Amino acid sequence: MARRFIRRRKPPGSPGKKRRSPGPEKNAPPSLQASVLKVLAGQDEPMNETEIAQALHLSRHELFPLRAVLGYLFEHRVVEKKGRRFALAAGLERLRATLDLTSKGYGYAVPEGEQAKGGKDVYIAPHNLNGASHGDTILVAVTGSSRGRREGRVMQVLRRAFTRICGIFTASGAGGYVTPDDDRFPATLLIRRGDTLAAGDGMAVVADIVDYGSERQGPTGRIVELLGDARAPSVQIRMAVIQAGLREPFPAEVEAEAAGLVPVTTCTGDRQDLRHLPHVTIDGETARDFDDAICVEREGEAFILYVSIADVSHYVRTGSAIDREAYLRGTSVYLPDRVLPMLPERLANDLCSLVPDQNRPAFTAILTFDATGRRTGERYTKSLIRSRQRFTYTTVNQILYLHDEKARTAHGELVPMLEQARALTALLKKRRIERGSLEFNIPEPEVTLEGEKVAAIRLAERNQAHMLIEDCMLAANEAVAETLAKVRRPVLYRIHEHPDPAKLESFTDAAKALGFHLPQAEVNPAWFAQIIKQARNSPTEYIVNNLLLRTMQQARYSPDNSGHFGLAAPYYLHFTSPIRRYPDLVAHRVLGALLAGHASDSARPVPGKATDLAEAGLHLSQCERRAIDAERNVHARCSCLLLMDRIGEIFAAVISGVTAFGLYVSLDDSYISGMVPLTGMTDDYYLHDSRRYRLIGEASNRMYQLGDRVLVRLEQVDLAAKRLSFSLAPQ
């Protein structure tokens, strides 16, 4: 006979678990929590429920959700209770911060005042986000700590970062919804009928967020732009630009200001005429903005290096419309089908660009070196130059290193100067390597588009002409940094701190697993240089260089000079690319003020009265990070598009990472990355040896280790997640 189970109600007063205040996520929208906290934050005296309800204009039926919120906040020590009155908890640390939300739902916030100082972030659990999204400026209450990390709760969203998203539209009878392209935005966006802009099902779109919603109801929005087919490279690149929040068209006032600038074609004031020198530019084939030119002379055994940089500071005055926009952008961003420049085209490709056979204003570093490559003197001047030739890396490589007679004959007048540049830079490089400067060899993937198709992804060619120019630029950057440091002029240095000890330990384990003999010496740049040298031209060179790069701290901009670990340089800043990097423009302004005899505090090198160099360094480091992330995002999207129709094909690859979840692999030639998930390795039960970076089959003893060569079969291309999944093919 079937038995019936009846839940019996406990009699009053019977023992049981203490009832917890229900989480507000079940009883009230996060917007109510934020409103309550905002009201309490603005009061000097505690408030009771009625007073809070009146301040929030709540109706009678909203009193129960209010009571639930107050109970939840009290239980989590965000507010304190005095009789029947509530106030923010005494001593509760409140911080203004920016939320970095992960795809797993939890977040981190680094308080604004501590970011420039490298302060530790605050962990925010999913149930403490209070409706905040990635990138939002938030008010955080620090509620405790765990394992040395502060934990907190979002009290209030001060400014929304996401006001517009891009994604894929799905039509429905009531209108439809947009699935965000960025998995850090936590919900799909409801689009009501009439707000779809006649988008087709599956189309990529841009939508404005009209209402951020609540816990009970998701956000709503309206479509403002139709992007088109999500499988088109141009559409995917545009989606990456929007996701990164990069600035696209220049404001009208910026374009108008640029159009009104007057070209400098003659020497006036303190500007020195250097048009007699055979300056040349050396760049890639597709470059359009030429911001550096070089010339090398000999004086007996000594060398004179002229590094002439576009004088952007002459045209871009601090606080002007162009300057404010350049500061917001921070850097130019280079993508396969477009450039998002820091400066308007009128400046970047015309007035400032050191094009051949045209008079151009420059800022020249005149550096002297002895026969060993040791710098013996430096002088700086505003100048007027006239480039003799727009060289490419390919042509200079043919002239100097391949000794191509046709190329040498075609540029016969400039060959002697180039030969002197080669001799000097060989000495400069030798000295850098001897002091421990790291020579990473990490190929950069280059995407080739043919119409609306990704034709190929290959490694960008890098030859000795690239290194010649790099050595000249490094010499100028170091000289300017040392000059400004010694006279104590506030400027933005390019600093690179010592590696994190925990990451260093992981690297040594990986290097040992790859069979490398680690130097028995102090861990300094020379220590790393020896490992790079061991790996050079070996099958694991790419892996070792990548592991080393991950071990390093990220280089950043700071007014406090702590040296550059990777270059083994006590003084370093960016001076040589002011057309595409704002910190270089800062260095130009500071050096220019020094040459003009102005006091260090007489001119602002960055816009805004309240903007100091520490804030500027943080902002510009973030701009650089955002640009790098956007470029990687585009590469991941293009990798998916390239392989989308090649499911089932087998590729040669190298194991670039080993985790408890599977193997990361990089495909030969293109260095496209993907994963072999452990769930797909069904031929055995694999154990993860984390110290030796390998998986070992329990029954077969088959081993897959970091650096191993493997064959992999493409199983899945997930364009929405920008993810490639592989399986191991028969080896």
Side-chain angles (χ1 to χ4, degrees):
M1 183 176 66
R3 298 177 63 186
R4 298 178 63 193
F5 291 86
I6 300 174
R7 178 173 291 176
R8 299 183 183 277
R9 183 173 302 188
K10 280 187 179 180
S14 61
K17 293 184 179 179
K18 181 181 178 182
R19 184 178 180 184
R20 295 172 58 87
S21 297
E25 64 274 5
K26 297 180 181 178
N27 296 276
S31 56
L32 180 56
Q33 300 166 52
S35 299
V36 169
L37 292 170
K38 186 175 181 180
V39 166
L40 293 177
Q43 299 295 320
D44 295 327
E45 298 294 329
M47 303 174 71
N48 61 30
E49 282 185 12
T50 303
E51 291 168 339
I52 295 171
Q54 289 174 346
L56 295 175
H57 306 289
L58 299 181
S59 62
R60 182 175 299 177
H61 72 271
E62 291 174 303
L63 292 179
F64 179 74
L66 172 62
R67 200 164 293 133
V69 165
L70 290 170
Y72 182 83
L73 295 175
F74 173 69
E75 184 174 334
H76 287 79
R77 302 177 184 177
V78 177
V79 302
E80 59 186 14
K81 194 174 181 183
K82 299 177 181 179
R84 292 172 177 256
R85 307 181 80 82
F86 295 88
L88 292 180
L92 190 68
E93 187 181 8
R94 292 183 286 275
L95 305 166
R96 183 184 171 101
T98 301
L99 180 64
D100 183 6
L101 191 64
T102 70
S103 59
K104 295 181 180 179
Y106 55 85
Y108 297 97
V110 178
E112 290 181 352
E114 299 178 26
Q115 287 177 322
K117 304 173 186 175
K120 288 189 176 181
D121 49 24
V122 179
Y123 171 76
I124 312 290
H127 60 274
N128 284 329
L129 287 170
N130 206 2
S133 296
H134 176 75
D136 288 351
T137 302
I138 55 177
L139 188 64
V140 178
V142 178
T143 56
S145 64
S146 176
R147 298 181 181 179
R149 182 190 292 275
R150 292 177 295 179
E151 295 184 351
R153 172 178 178 79
V154 177
M155 296 180 66
Q156 185 182 351
V157 176
L158 302 174
R159 183 174 59 82
R160 290 286 184 179
F162 279 100
T163 58
R164 175 170 289 187
I165 66 167
C166 58
I168 305 301
F169 178 70
T170 301
S172 69
Y177 59 89
V178 174
T179 303
D181 180 62
D182 189 341
D183 59 9
R184 295 171 301 183
F185 190 79
T188 56
L189 193 65
L190 176 67
I191 308 295
R192 303 189 191 282
R193 187 184 292 116
D195 290 333
T196 66
L197 211 64
D201 191 55
M203 181 180 288
V205 299
V206 180
D208 278 347
I209 301 171
V210 176
D211 186 343
Y212 287 86
S214 65
E215 195 67 31
R216 294 179 177 179
Q217 180 177 325
T220 58
R222 61 170 171 268
I223 294 175
V224 295
E225 184 180 352
L226 306 180
L227 297 178
D229 182 2
R231 292 183 56 151
S234 61
V235 171
Q236 283 294 320
I237 293 171
R238 180 79 198 290
M239 292 171 82
V241 168
I242 295 170
Q243 180 179 322
L246 299 176
R247 301 172 74 84
E248 295 183 84
F250 283 93
E253 64 170 335
V254 173
E255 294 285 11
E257 191 172 278
L261 294 172
V262 178
V264 175
T265 57
T266 59
C267 277
T268 56
D270 295 330
R271 194 173 295 279
Q272 186 175 351
D273 193 343
L274 298 180
R275 287 176 290 180
H276 63 283
L277 295 174
H279 277 93
V280 299
T281 61
I282 307 175
D283 295 275
E285 273 78 2
T286 59
R288 294 176 60 199
D289 51 341
F290 311 122
D291 48 12
D292 57 86
I294 65 162
C295 174
V296 179
E297 293 183 328
R298 290 293 291 263
E299 278 192 355
E301 294 296 312
F303 295 89
I304 303 176
L305 169 63
Y306 298 85
V307 178
S308 291
I309 308 301
D311 189 4
V312 175
S313 62
H314 173 83
Y315 292 111
V316 182
R317 302 298 184 179
T318 307
S320 64
I322 297 173
D323 186 48
R324 294 194 303 271
E325 181 68 19
Y327 179 78
L328 289 175
R329 294 176 179 237
T331 182
S332 296
V333 185
Y334 297 88
L335 303 174
D337 66 342
R338 70 197 73 184
V339 176
L340 304 179
M342 186 181 81
L343 298 174
E345 185 176 0
R346 163 89 165 135
L347 281 163
N349 303 137
D350 182 12
L351 296 182
C352 292
S353 189
L354 305 180
V355 294
D357 303 319
Q358 296 292 325
N359 292 346
R360 287 290 185 265
F363 206 150
T364 302
I366 305 171
L367 312 176
T368 56
F369 299 88
D370 65 18
T372 68
R374 181 177 63 89
R375 177 159 45 88
T376 57
E378 58 280 325
R379 183 169 70 86
Y380 311 97
T381 181
K382 291 295 186 83
S383 62
L384 191 71
I385 72 165
R386 190 178 182 89
S387 172
R388 296 287 199 277
Q389 181 68 42
R390 179 267 202 264
F391 277 121
T392 65
Y393 295 119
T394 301
T395 302
V396 172
N397 191 53
Q398 290 171 340
I399 292 171
L400 294 181
Y401 303 101
L402 301 180
H403 299 285
D404 184 297
E405 287 303 323
K406 184 177 179 181
R408 291 175 72 88
T409 301
H411 304 286
E413 290 184 359
L414 295 171
V415 168
M417 191 279 290
L418 291 176
E419 294 280 10
Q420 288 161 186
R422 181 183 65 173
L424 171 61
T425 53
L427 294 172
L428 297 179
K429 182 174 182 178
K430 182 174 182 291
R431 291 184 70 89
R432 274 198 307 105
I433 292 174
E434 286 174 350
R435 78 187 186 199
S437 179
L438 304 183
E439 298 292 309
F440 285 112
N441 182 21
I442 300 179
E444 289 289 334
E446 192 172 60
V447 177
T448 302
L449 301 180
E450 291 180 0
E452 285 297 344
K453 180 182 177 183
V454 179
I457 298 179
R458 300 187 183 90
L459 301 184
E461 184 181 350
R462 181 175 167 80
N463 57 47
Q464 289 175 284
H466 288 81
M467 293 174 239
L468 179 146
I469 282 295
E470 284 178 9
D471 282 309
C472 292
M473 300 304 115
L474 289 172
N477 288 338
E478 288 183 38
V480 173
E482 184 173 357
T483 296
L484 295 176
K486 288 185 174 179
V487 295
R488 301 183 182 278
R489 288 279 175 153
V491 72
L492 285 177
Y493 295 95
R494 178 68 167 178
I495 66 170
H496 187 219
E497 293 152 310
H498 283 66
D500 180 85
K503 290 184 177 180
L504 181 60
E505 184 178 354
S506 296
F507 170 75
T508 55
D509 288 341
K512 288 175 182 176
L514 289 169
F516 285 89
H517 301 289
L518 304 185
Q520 299 299 311
E522 177 191 359
V523 176
N524 55 25
W527 186 88
F528 285 97
Q530 288 185 55
I531 298 172
I532 292 174
K533 186 176 180 181
Q534 282 187 57
R536 189 164 295 130
N537 298 323
S538 74
T540 57
E541 180 178 16
Y542 172 75
I543 302 297
V544 171
N545 276 269
N546 262 294
L547 288 172
L548 270 174
L549 203 59
R550 293 176 205 165
T551 303
M552 299 290 173
Q553 304 249 30
Q554 288 181 357
R556 59 189 178 91
Y557 298 106
S558 170
D560 301 316
N561 179 40
S562 58
H564 196 292
F565 182 87
L567 293 171
Y571 307 100
Y572 193 70
L573 56 64
H574 279 161
F575 171 78
T576 55
S577 296
I579 291 178
R580 63 182 180 89
R581 286 189 310 227
Y582 197 91
D584 304 56
L585 180 54
V586 171
H588 279 227
R589 286 170 174 162
V590 174
L591 185 59
L594 175 65
L595 296 182
H598 298 153
S600 60
D601 58 353
S602 64
R604 291 178 292 111
V606 293
K609 293 181 180 178
T611 306
D612 63 20
L613 283 178
E615 292 174 351
L618 174 63
H619 164 71
L620 295 169
S621 296
Q622 290 172 336
C623 289
E624 177 189 47
R625 191 75 249 156
R626 185 163 60 243
I628 292 171
D629 289 344
E631 290 165 4
R632 289 176 178 169
N633 191 343
V634 167
H635 178 258
R637 292 168 186 268
C638 289
S639 297
C640 289
L641 293 175
L642 178 67
L643 299 181
M644 186 165 283
D645 298 322
R646 299 175 68 178
I647 303 293
E649 284 192 33
I650 294 176
F651 301 87
V654 62
I655 297 176
S656 57
V658 181
T659 72
F661 307 104
L663 305 172
Y664 286 98
V665 295
S666 293
L667 305 189
D668 290 358
D669 301 325
S670 65
Y671 286 88
I672 291 173
S673 297
M675 190 178 193
V676 178
L678 197 62
T679 52
M681 299 171 64
T682 56
D683 61 318
D684 202 341
Y685 181 80
Y686 286 89
L687 305 173
H688 179 220
D689 182 351
S690 59
R691 292 300 296 264
R692 294 178 176 82
Y693 289 80
R694 62 186 180 183
L695 296 178
I696 305 172
E698 188 176 52
S700 64
N701 209 32
R702 185 177 293 111
M703 187 185 307
Y704 295 101
Q705 185 164 346
L706 183 72
D708 282 354
R709 313 291 308 174
V710 291
L711 295 176
V712 293
R713 178 183 289 106
L714 181 61
E715 298 291 349
Q716 184 184 21
V717 176
D718 187 342
L719 181 58
K722 300 91 178 170
R723 188 179 300 126
L724 301 170
S725 296
F726 296 88
S727 64
L728 291 167
Q731 304 300 305

